[in-house]
Amino acid sequence: MALLKVKFDQKKRVKLAQGLWLMNWLSVLAGVVIFSLGLFLKIELRKRSEVMNNSESHFVPNSLIGVGVLSCVFNSLAGKICYDALDPAKYAKWKPWLKSYLAVCVLFNIVLLLVALCCFLLRGSLESTLAHGLKNGMKYYRDTDTPGRCFMKKTIDMLQIEFKCCGNNGFRDWFEIQWISNRYLDFSSKEVKDRIKSNVDGRYLVDGVPFSCCNPSSPRPCIQYQLTNNSAHYSYDHQTEELNLWVHGCRAALLGYYSSLMNSMGAFTLLVWLFEVTITVGLRYLHTALEGVSNPEDPECESEGWLLEKSVPETWKAFLESLKKLGKSNQVDAQGADAGQAPEAG
Amino acid sequence: MAPVLPLVLPLQPRIRLAQGLWLLSWLLALAGGLTLLCSGHLLVQLWHLGTFLAPSCPFAALPQVALAAGAVALGTGLVGAGASRASLDAAQYPPWRGVLGPLLVASTAGGGGLLVLALGLALALPGSLDIGLEEGLATALAHYKDTEVPGHCHAKRLLDELQLRYHCCGRHGYKDWFGIQWVSSRYLDPNDQDVVDRIQSNVEGLYLIDGVPFSCCNPHSPRPCLQSQLSDPHAHPLFDPRQPNLNLWDQGCHGVLLGQLQGLASTLGSMLAVTFVLQTLVLLGLRYLQTALEGLGGVINGEGETQGYLFPSGLKGMLKTAWLKGGVAHRPAPEEAPSLEAPPKEGLPEA
């Protein structure tokens, strides 16, 4: 009892082949789009690899690029097959390969689904990478003289301006680290000496933030220093002041940005996966319909197309048996060789 | 009356003309499309920078006219491609016969006029940008502190975002900020002696400081940004005047914006020039093709030679014909005398 049988006459077969040809070329286009999406994500991750400690995982964009290339290759091949399917002479040369090709297509569809799911699920690792990277970035903010880290200040400043964020979780992160280089501190000043003596590590900690944390929407000129001291500024209450600095942390801002990128890429890949499944099903019907043409001399005859020749449990049984036979045939050969050698020896 | 600029067109040159015209028409359509995109881009830029351009500056007219001219050029290109394709196929040409004449007139008048106008504007207007930007930026700087005055409350945010995005400070340099009051009086402590001194030190009673807003800060500087007491060399420790000053952006916003907008305008101008040349060629080619095919009575594949021309008679003849058409007198229309330059026709074309 075949699975999902459909009757095909000549016209229907031709229409199926033409429709599949068109869908395959659309799918090639979709493969190109997935490739470029993967490339775009890779470039975006590379751009900010400094704040991710250069240890971010490129698994998602690499897999998108690979899947995009594979999709182009497989679908153009399938398009060629569908084009040739209308001509019995050309189709004959593809016939022996079609079954294995369909198996490869099914595998490819599974891989595509996994990649689409990965796009949604891998934001957790990105979050921890960002947390570590930003913490280090802020630590090295003042090291503008150290080779290898001298660009960290510029990177963090431009990041805070572009993503409208401040610090790791909020602007108070800047209070806990020394972000002003010792080179620009006047050690003869009493204030500086007091601050350095006031903590165990001898760091110059201020309740101030860099200028890149300033919010241009604030009605008053930006207050950057002595943020917790209400009396230092006229008409200022640090508990109620909201517009002065950016309130979001850069970790949340970057994570949100990359999450939305990966979510939209994952959604698009899922759509392409559905499309590919349709194409594979159509190709299977075309394959079985053309196999079922009983009289090769009469192309007008009707044939039947199906997904599986027998129902699902029977097909599974047949598959297991063929595997067992493969194992048994090896054993039989070995026994036959032994039996052959024994009479000779005997 | 002699036809103006006649050209003999036997079958093969006619076909070549049609094919070349088809190619040129697609090029014209491409050029028209690119002009559309370019002027659209310029319009979007102007919309973003609207607050920094004085309202009296007529610069915005340029992208609007260029948009219209680009659209007409695109349309002309598509029409030309369709007509030249149809002229090679006897079955497709008859519906084009009636429309081609009026379309040519409309394209020449409308498209040509718009293109010439746009080219003129592209040459004349960028000069007025200078003054427009000066006034616009001066107004924006003056209203920086007016974050509670309706109508100007966005000046601070827009100017800060401009300085952050375009990497510039003030109109021509950071010292512009020293000459205006950019701190709102709402946040000045009237009991502070320093504030009172500063206000009393000038005629207009403005609170002037030698400091700049945070958006002038340059992130490339190795030290945290110095925004205040910029005229006092002893105010900040270890300030080395010999090192290049990376602390603030050194360009003025006027120069940056002017360069950018003038660059866009010159790109647009060159696109318009290319479109103009292509449109002239396409319209001329279409006219010759149309008149040559009219000479054959609309039959495409006629083997005979015909003449293509720009106008059936000179200017005087055209005016006369127009007068006669409108006039009451019944006089026979002046007959077309064969041109002295054309070689003798080799027999009539067969139907």
mmCIF file of all heavy atoms in Angstrom, chain A residues 290-331:
data_model
loop_
_atom_site.group_PDB
_atom_site.id
_atom_site.type_symbol
_atom_site.label_atom_id
_atom_site.label_comp_id
_atom_site.label_asym_id
_atom_site.label_seq_id
_atom_site.Cartn_x
_atom_site.Cartn_y
_atom_site.Cartn_z
ATOM 1 N N LEU A 290 7.811 9.013 -13.105
ATOM 2 C CA LEU A 290 8.527 8.643 -14.323
ATOM 3 C C LEU A 290 8.950 7.180 -14.293
ATOM 4 O O LEU A 290 9.019 6.536 -15.331
ATOM 5 C CB LEU A 290 9.749 9.557 -14.499
ATOM 6 C CG LEU A 290 9.372 10.960 -14.955
ATOM 7 C CD1 LEU A 290 10.579 11.870 -14.941
ATOM 8 C CD2 LEU A 290 8.775 10.930 -16.351
ATOM 9 N N GLU A 291 9.264 6.655 -13.091
ATOM 10 C CA GLU A 291 9.595 5.229 -12.998
ATOM 11 C C GLU A 291 8.389 4.393 -13.381
ATOM 12 O O GLU A 291 8.502 3.333 -13.975
ATOM 13 C CB GLU A 291 9.978 4.878 -11.557
ATOM 14 C CG GLU A 291 11.201 5.574 -11.038
ATOM 15 C CD GLU A 291 12.420 4.702 -11.124
ATOM 16 O OE1 GLU A 291 12.434 3.649 -10.468
ATOM 17 O OE2 GLU A 291 13.346 5.088 -11.854
ATOM 18 N N GLY A 292 7.190 4.892 -12.991
ATOM 19 C CA GLY A 292 5.969 4.113 -13.184
ATOM 20 C C GLY A 292 5.463 4.093 -14.606
ATOM 21 O O GLY A 292 4.486 3.426 -14.906
ATOM 22 N N VAL A 293 6.130 4.844 -15.502
ATOM 23 C CA VAL A 293 5.706 4.809 -16.909
ATOM 24 C C VAL A 293 6.008 3.409 -17.443
ATOM 25 O O VAL A 293 7.147 3.063 -17.709
ATOM 26 C CB VAL A 293 6.463 5.880 -17.715
ATOM 27 C CG1 VAL A 293 6.237 5.697 -19.193
ATOM 28 C CG2 VAL A 293 6.032 7.248 -17.273
ATOM 29 N N SER A 294 4.950 2.579 -17.587
ATOM 30 C CA SER A 294 5.175 1.159 -17.868
ATOM 31 C C SER A 294 5.712 0.940 -19.271
ATOM 32 O O SER A 294 6.580 0.123 -19.504
ATOM 33 C CB SER A 294 3.871 0.381 -17.670
ATOM 34 O OG SER A 294 2.809 1.130 -18.242
ATOM 35 N N ASN A 295 5.197 1.718 -20.231
ATOM 36 C CA ASN A 295 5.613 1.507 -21.603
ATOM 37 C C ASN A 295 6.450 2.701 -22.060
ATOM 38 O O ASN A 295 5.911 3.760 -22.339
ATOM 39 C CB ASN A 295 4.365 1.349 -22.482
ATOM 40 C CG ASN A 295 4.731 1.015 -23.905
ATOM 41 O OD1 ASN A 295 5.912 0.856 -24.219
ATOM 42 N ND2 ASN A 295 3.739 0.878 -24.754
ATOM 43 N N PRO A 296 7.761 2.522 -22.145
ATOM 44 C CA PRO A 296 8.605 3.681 -22.481
ATOM 45 C C PRO A 296 8.333 4.222 -23.873
ATOM 46 O O PRO A 296 8.638 5.365 -24.167
ATOM 47 C CB PRO A 296 10.040 3.144 -22.381
ATOM 48 C CG PRO A 296 9.946 1.710 -22.059
ATOM 49 C CD PRO A 296 8.528 1.312 -21.888
ATOM 50 N N GLU A 297 7.729 3.375 -24.766
ATOM 51 C CA GLU A 297 7.476 3.866 -26.126
ATOM 52 C C GLU A 297 6.298 4.821 -26.155
ATOM 53 O O GLU A 297 6.160 5.608 -27.078
ATOM 54 C CB GLU A 297 7.175 2.673 -27.055
ATOM 55 C CG GLU A 297 8.338 1.669 -27.134
ATOM 56 C CD GLU A 297 9.622 2.322 -27.595
ATOM 57 O OE1 GLU A 297 9.573 3.112 -28.541
ATOM 58 O OE2 GLU A 297 10.673 2.066 -26.983
ATOM 59 N N ASP A 298 5.415 4.715 -25.169
ATOM 60 C CA ASP A 298 4.199 5.538 -25.193
ATOM 61 C C ASP A 298 4.274 6.559 -24.062
ATOM 62 O O ASP A 298 3.908 6.271 -22.920
ATOM 63 C CB ASP A 298 2.975 4.621 -25.022
ATOM 64 C CG ASP A 298 1.703 5.449 -24.854
ATOM 65 O OD1 ASP A 298 1.693 6.608 -25.343
ATOM 66 O OD2 ASP A 298 0.761 4.953 -24.228
ATOM 67 N N PRO A 299 4.749 7.780 -24.376
ATOM 68 C CA PRO A 299 4.914 8.746 -23.293
ATOM 69 C C PRO A 299 3.599 9.314 -22.770
ATOM 70 O O PRO A 299 3.582 9.978 -21.747
ATOM 71 C CB PRO A 299 5.775 9.853 -23.929
ATOM 72 C CG PRO A 299 5.554 9.727 -25.387
ATOM 73 C CD PRO A 299 5.210 8.308 -25.679
ATOM 74 N N GLU A 300 2.518 9.048 -23.503
ATOM 75 C CA GLU A 300 1.246 9.672 -23.091
ATOM 76 C C GLU A 300 0.559 8.916 -21.970
ATOM 77 O O GLU A 300 -0.462 9.356 -21.458
ATOM 78 C CB GLU A 300 0.289 9.692 -24.303
ATOM 79 C CG GLU A 300 0.795 10.567 -25.443
ATOM 80 C CD GLU A 300 0.614 12.038 -25.169
ATOM 81 O OE1 GLU A 300 -0.402 12.394 -24.544
ATOM 82 O OE2 GLU A 300 1.488 12.826 -25.529
ATOM 83 N N CYS A 301 1.100 7.726 -21.598
ATOM 84 C CA CYS A 301 0.324 6.892 -20.681
ATOM 85 C C CYS A 301 0.312 7.476 -19.280
ATOM 86 O O CYS A 301 1.159 8.280 -18.917
ATOM 87 C CB CYS A 301 0.880 5.474 -20.658
ATOM 88 S SG CYS A 301 2.482 5.389 -19.862
ATOM 89 N N GLU A 302 -0.633 7.007 -18.515
ATOM 90 C CA GLU A 302 -0.749 7.464 -17.134
ATOM 91 C C GLU A 302 0.201 6.690 -16.258
ATOM 92 O O GLU A 302 0.546 5.552 -16.539
ATOM 93 C CB GLU A 302 -2.176 7.220 -16.639
ATOM 94 C CG GLU A 302 -3.136 8.275 -17.103
ATOM 95 C CD GLU A 302 -4.340 8.345 -16.186
ATOM 96 O OE1 GLU A 302 -4.464 7.481 -15.296
ATOM 97 O OE2 GLU A 302 -5.144 9.255 -16.373
ATOM 98 N N SER A 303 0.620 7.298 -15.164
ATOM 99 C CA SER A 303 1.425 6.552 -14.201
ATOM 100 C C SER A 303 1.053 7.050 -12.824
ATOM 101 O O SER A 303 0.317 8.031 -12.672
ATOM 102 C CB SER A 303 2.910 6.750 -14.465
ATOM 103 O OG SER A 303 3.239 8.094 -14.237
ATOM 104 N N GLU A 304 1.582 6.341 -11.853
ATOM 105 C CA GLU A 304 1.297 6.737 -10.485
ATOM 106 C C GLU A 304 2.566 7.227 -9.823
ATOM 107 O O GLU A 304 3.643 6.679 -10.043
ATOM 108 C CB GLU A 304 0.766 5.517 -9.713
ATOM 109 C CG GLU A 304 -0.673 5.236 -10.046
ATOM 110 C CD GLU A 304 -1.184 4.065 -9.249
ATOM 111 O OE1 GLU A 304 -0.338 3.373 -8.632
ATOM 112 O OE2 GLU A 304 -2.377 3.846 -9.254
ATOM 113 N N GLY A 305 2.414 8.237 -8.976
ATOM 114 C CA GLY A 305 3.557 8.687 -8.188
ATOM 115 C C GLY A 305 3.252 8.482 -6.714
ATOM 116 O O GLY A 305 2.102 8.537 -6.297
ATOM 117 N N TRP A 306 4.259 8.184 -5.921
ATOM 118 C CA TRP A 306 4.051 8.024 -4.478
ATOM 119 C C TRP A 306 5.272 8.488 -3.723
ATOM 120 O O TRP A 306 6.333 8.706 -4.294
ATOM 121 C CB TRP A 306 3.759 6.556 -4.153
ATOM 122 C CG TRP A 306 4.863 5.644 -4.610
ATOM 123 C CD1 TRP A 306 6.068 5.454 -4.049
ATOM 124 C CD2 TRP A 306 4.855 4.821 -5.776
ATOM 125 N NE1 TRP A 306 6.812 4.576 -4.768
ATOM 126 C CE2 TRP A 306 6.096 4.158 -5.827
ATOM 127 C CE3 TRP A 306 3.885 4.562 -6.776
ATOM 128 C CZ2 TRP A 306 6.410 3.262 -6.841
ATOM 129 C CZ3 TRP A 306 4.216 3.666 -7.781
ATOM 130 C CH2 TRP A 306 5.463 3.017 -7.809
ATOM 131 N N LEU A 307 5.099 8.630 -2.391
ATOM 132 C CA LEU A 307 6.225 9.031 -1.570
ATOM 133 C C LEU A 307 7.063 7.816 -1.178
ATOM 134 O O LEU A 307 8.273 7.800 -1.331
ATOM 135 C CB LEU A 307 5.739 9.740 -0.303
ATOM 136 C CG LEU A 307 5.475 11.235 -0.459
ATOM 137 C CD1 LEU A 307 5.087 11.838 0.864
ATOM 138 C CD2 LEU A 307 6.692 11.947 -1.000
ATOM 139 N N LEU A 308 6.373 6.806 -0.638
ATOM 140 C CA LEU A 308 7.069 5.576 -0.271
ATOM 141 C C LEU A 308 6.310 4.427 -0.907
ATOM 142 O O LEU A 308 5.082 4.442 -0.965
ATOM 143 C CB LEU A 308 7.087 5.387 1.246
ATOM 144 C CG LEU A 308 7.941 6.380 2.038
ATOM 145 C CD1 LEU A 308 7.721 6.198 3.525
ATOM 146 C CD2 LEU A 308 9.415 6.177 1.712
ATOM 147 N N GLU A 309 7.046 3.387 -1.340
ATOM 148 C CA GLU A 309 6.395 2.301 -2.061
ATOM 149 C C GLU A 309 5.464 1.516 -1.148
ATOM 150 O O GLU A 309 4.376 1.114 -1.532
ATOM 151 C CB GLU A 309 7.461 1.382 -2.652
ATOM 152 C CG GLU A 309 6.906 0.505 -3.738
ATOM 153 C CD GLU A 309 8.015 -0.079 -4.599
ATOM 154 O OE1 GLU A 309 9.159 0.388 -4.459
ATOM 155 O OE2 GLU A 309 7.716 -0.988 -5.371
ATOM 156 N N LYS A 310 5.953 1.292 0.091
ATOM 157 C CA LYS A 310 5.063 0.617 1.042
ATOM 158 C C LYS A 310 4.803 1.605 2.173
ATOM 159 O O LYS A 310 5.361 2.687 2.182
ATOM 160 C CB LYS A 310 5.756 -0.634 1.579
ATOM 161 C CG LYS A 310 6.332 -1.481 0.475
ATOM 162 C CD LYS A 310 7.013 -2.716 1.053
ATOM 163 C CE LYS A 310 7.838 -3.392 0.008
ATOM 164 N NZ LYS A 310 9.247 -3.130 0.117
ATOM 165 N N SER A 311 3.948 1.211 3.122
ATOM 166 C CA SER A 311 3.660 2.139 4.216
ATOM 167 C C SER A 311 4.905 2.275 5.102
ATOM 168 O O SER A 311 5.861 1.522 4.967
ATOM 169 C CB SER A 311 2.475 1.638 5.032
ATOM 170 O OG SER A 311 2.835 0.418 5.636
ATOM 171 N N VAL A 312 4.858 3.253 6.013
ATOM 172 C CA VAL A 312 6.061 3.610 6.780
ATOM 173 C C VAL A 312 6.649 2.432 7.577
ATOM 174 O O VAL A 312 7.851 2.163 7.459
ATOM 175 C CB VAL A 312 5.782 4.810 7.713
ATOM 176 C CG1 VAL A 312 7.017 5.198 8.487
ATOM 177 C CG2 VAL A 312 5.299 5.983 6.898
ATOM 178 N N PRO A 313 5.850 1.666 8.378
ATOM 179 C CA PRO A 313 6.477 0.570 9.143
ATOM 180 C C PRO A 313 7.078 -0.495 8.223
ATOM 181 O O PRO A 313 8.159 -1.032 8.506
ATOM 182 C CB PRO A 313 5.339 -0.002 9.989
ATOM 183 C CG PRO A 313 4.102 0.632 9.520
ATOM 184 C CD PRO A 313 4.428 1.807 8.722
ATOM 185 N N GLU A 314 6.401 -0.777 7.073
ATOM 186 C CA GLU A 314 6.946 -1.790 6.164
ATOM 187 C C GLU A 314 8.254 -1.334 5.563
ATOM 188 O O GLU A 314 9.202 -2.109 5.396
ATOM 189 C CB GLU A 314 5.938 -2.088 5.049
ATOM 190 C CG GLU A 314 4.762 -2.928 5.513
ATOM 191 C CD GLU A 314 3.757 -3.088 4.389
ATOM 192 O OE1 GLU A 314 4.155 -2.980 3.217
ATOM 193 O OE2 GLU A 314 2.582 -3.290 4.704
ATOM 194 N N THR A 315 8.294 -0.024 5.187
ATOM 195 C CA THR A 315 9.534 0.495 4.612
ATOM 196 C C THR A 315 10.664 0.408 5.625
ATOM 197 O O THR A 315 11.800 0.052 5.287
ATOM 198 C CB THR A 315 9.355 1.954 4.184
ATOM 199 O OG1 THR A 315 8.091 2.123 3.586
ATOM 200 C CG2 THR A 315 10.440 2.376 3.226
ATOM 201 N N TRP A 316 10.356 0.737 6.895
ATOM 202 C CA TRP A 316 11.380 0.700 7.942
ATOM 203 C C TRP A 316 11.896 -0.733 8.098
ATOM 204 O O TRP A 316 13.101 -0.960 8.210
ATOM 205 C CB TRP A 316 10.770 1.226 9.241
ATOM 206 C CG TRP A 316 11.707 1.290 10.396
ATOM 207 C CD1 TRP A 316 11.600 0.639 11.575
ATOM 208 C CD2 TRP A 316 12.920 2.031 10.473
ATOM 209 N NE1 TRP A 316 12.645 0.923 12.400
ATOM 210 C CE2 TRP A 316 13.481 1.779 11.749
ATOM 211 C CE3 TRP A 316 13.603 2.887 9.605
ATOM 212 C CZ2 TRP A 316 14.674 2.341 12.159
ATOM 213 C CZ3 TRP A 316 14.791 3.441 10.040
ATOM 214 C CH2 TRP A 316 15.322 3.171 11.295
ATOM 215 N N LYS A 317 10.949 -1.744 8.081
ATOM 216 C CA LYS A 317 11.348 -3.150 8.194
ATOM 217 C C LYS A 317 12.257 -3.538 7.047
ATOM 218 O O LYS A 317 13.301 -4.174 7.237
ATOM 219 C CB LYS A 317 10.094 -4.045 8.162
ATOM 220 C CG LYS A 317 9.671 -4.571 9.522
ATOM 221 C CD LYS A 317 8.685 -5.700 9.372
ATOM 222 C CE LYS A 317 7.408 -5.328 10.119
ATOM 223 N NZ LYS A 317 6.293 -6.218 9.814
ATOM 224 N N ALA A 318 11.857 -3.159 5.827
ATOM 225 C CA ALA A 318 12.655 -3.512 4.648
ATOM 226 C C ALA A 318 14.046 -2.912 4.750
ATOM 227 O O ALA A 318 15.049 -3.554 4.402
ATOM 228 C CB ALA A 318 11.948 -3.018 3.389
ATOM 229 N N PHE A 319 14.126 -1.664 5.267
ATOM 230 C CA PHE A 319 15.422 -0.987 5.399
ATOM 231 C C PHE A 319 16.316 -1.748 6.368
ATOM 232 O O PHE A 319 17.511 -2.007 6.109
ATOM 233 C CB PHE A 319 15.160 0.441 5.882
ATOM 234 C CG PHE A 319 16.391 1.266 6.057
ATOM 235 C CD1 PHE A 319 17.223 1.569 4.991
ATOM 236 C CD2 PHE A 319 16.734 1.743 7.318
ATOM 237 C CE1 PHE A 319 18.367 2.323 5.165
ATOM 238 C CE2 PHE A 319 17.866 2.512 7.492
ATOM 239 C CZ PHE A 319 18.689 2.804 6.421
ATOM 240 N N LEU A 320 15.700 -2.175 7.546
ATOM 241 C CA LEU A 320 16.500 -2.917 8.530
ATOM 242 C C LEU A 320 16.985 -4.233 7.946
ATOM 243 O O LEU A 320 18.135 -4.641 8.152
ATOM 244 C CB LEU A 320 15.656 -3.189 9.777
ATOM 245 C CG LEU A 320 15.441 -1.984 10.699
ATOM 246 C CD1 LEU A 320 14.518 -2.353 11.841
ATOM 247 C CD2 LEU A 320 16.760 -1.485 11.251
ATOM 248 N N GLU A 321 16.084 -4.919 7.171
ATOM 249 C CA GLU A 321 16.466 -6.206 6.596
ATOM 250 C C GLU A 321 17.603 -6.051 5.608
ATOM 251 O O GLU A 321 18.520 -6.866 5.557
ATOM 252 C CB GLU A 321 15.266 -6.843 5.903
ATOM 253 C CG GLU A 321 14.325 -7.434 6.914
ATOM 254 C CD GLU A 321 13.426 -8.472 6.279
ATOM 255 O OE1 GLU A 321 13.714 -8.905 5.147
ATOM 256 O OE2 GLU A 321 12.432 -8.827 6.941
ATOM 257 N N SER A 322 17.534 -4.980 4.818
ATOM 258 C CA SER A 322 18.618 -4.805 3.845
ATOM 259 C C SER A 322 19.932 -4.565 4.566
ATOM 260 O O SER A 322 20.993 -5.005 4.107
ATOM 261 C CB SER A 322 18.301 -3.676 2.872
ATOM 262 O OG SER A 322 18.238 -2.456 3.574
ATOM 263 N N LEU A 323 19.868 -3.882 5.740
ATOM 264 C CA LEU A 323 21.093 -3.682 6.519
ATOM 265 C C LEU A 323 21.624 -5.028 7.017
ATOM 266 O O LEU A 323 22.823 -5.310 6.946
ATOM 267 C CB LEU A 323 20.815 -2.784 7.728
ATOM 268 C CG LEU A 323 20.832 -1.271 7.490
ATOM 269 C CD1 LEU A 323 20.597 -0.540 8.791
ATOM 270 C CD2 LEU A 323 22.144 -0.813 6.875
ATOM 271 N N LYS A 324 20.654 -5.879 7.522
ATOM 272 C CA LYS A 324 21.070 -7.190 8.038
ATOM 273 C C LYS A 324 21.696 -8.013 6.913
ATOM 274 O O LYS A 324 22.716 -8.657 7.095
ATOM 275 C CB LYS A 324 19.850 -7.940 8.585
ATOM 276 C CG LYS A 324 19.554 -7.634 10.039
ATOM 277 C CD LYS A 324 18.518 -8.607 10.590
ATOM 278 C CE LYS A 324 17.567 -7.857 11.495
ATOM 279 N NZ LYS A 324 16.309 -8.548 11.687
ATOM 280 N N LYS A 325 21.053 -7.965 5.744
ATOM 281 C CA LYS A 325 21.571 -8.751 4.604
ATOM 282 C C LYS A 325 22.978 -8.333 4.278
ATOM 283 O O LYS A 325 23.830 -9.143 3.934
ATOM 284 C CB LYS A 325 20.675 -8.520 3.384
ATOM 285 C CG LYS A 325 19.765 -9.677 3.073
ATOM 286 C CD LYS A 325 19.206 -9.542 1.687
ATOM 287 C CE LYS A 325 17.692 -9.395 1.804
ATOM 288 N NZ LYS A 325 17.081 -8.954 0.548
ATOM 289 N N LEU A 326 23.216 -7.029 4.383
ATOM 290 C CA LEU A 326 24.554 -6.524 4.079
ATOM 291 C C LEU A 326 25.562 -7.165 5.022
ATOM 292 O O LEU A 326 26.628 -7.629 4.613
ATOM 293 C CB LEU A 326 24.556 -4.999 4.251
ATOM 294 C CG LEU A 326 25.520 -4.217 3.351
ATOM 295 C CD1 LEU A 326 25.105 -4.401 1.905
ATOM 296 C CD2 LEU A 326 25.476 -2.762 3.708
ATOM 297 N N GLY A 327 25.152 -7.226 6.346
ATOM 298 C CA GLY A 327 26.035 -7.852 7.324
ATOM 299 C C GLY A 327 26.176 -9.341 7.034
ATOM 300 O O GLY A 327 27.275 -9.898 7.052
ATOM 301 N N LYS A 328 25.039 -10.018 6.720
ATOM 302 C CA LYS A 328 25.066 -11.473 6.509
ATOM 303 C C LYS A 328 25.894 -11.831 5.290
ATOM 304 O O LYS A 328 26.626 -12.814 5.300
ATOM 305 C CB LYS A 328 23.633 -11.984 6.299
ATOM 306 C CG LYS A 328 23.056 -12.622 7.519
ATOM 307 C CD LYS A 328 21.836 -13.466 7.179
ATOM 308 C CE LYS A 328 20.993 -13.591 8.451
ATOM 309 N NZ LYS A 328 19.594 -13.790 8.150
ATOM 310 N N SER A 329 25.775 -11.048 4.239
ATOM 311 C CA SER A 329 26.483 -11.410 3.006
ATOM 312 C C SER A 329 27.976 -11.427 3.258
ATOM 313 O O SER A 329 28.705 -12.254 2.721
ATOM 314 C CB SER A 329 26.117 -10.462 1.876
ATOM 315 O OG SER A 329 26.614 -9.172 2.178
ATOM 316 N N ASN A 330 28.442 -10.558 4.113
ATOM 317 C CA ASN A 330 29.870 -10.569 4.450
ATOM 318 C C ASN A 330 30.225 -11.870 5.139
ATOM 319 O O ASN A 330 31.219 -12.511 4.821
ATOM 320 C CB ASN A 330 30.211 -9.397 5.381
ATOM 321 C CG ASN A 330 30.331 -8.103 4.596
ATOM 322 O OD1 ASN A 330 30.505 -8.149 3.375
ATOM 323 N ND2 ASN A 330 30.228 -6.993 5.272
ATOM 324 N N GLN A 331 29.332 -12.288 6.117
ATOM 325 C CA GLN A 331 29.589 -13.532 6.847
ATOM 326 C C GLN A 331 29.586 -14.722 5.893
ATOM 327 O O GLN A 331 30.462 -15.575 5.954
ATOM 328 C CB GLN A 331 28.487 -13.752 7.886
ATOM 329 C CG GLN A 331 28.844 -13.184 9.230
ATOM 330 C CD GLN A 331 27.814 -13.577 10.279
ATOM 331 O OE1 GLN A 331 26.708 -14.005 9.978
ATOM 332 N NE2 GLN A 331 28.189 -13.459 11.533
#
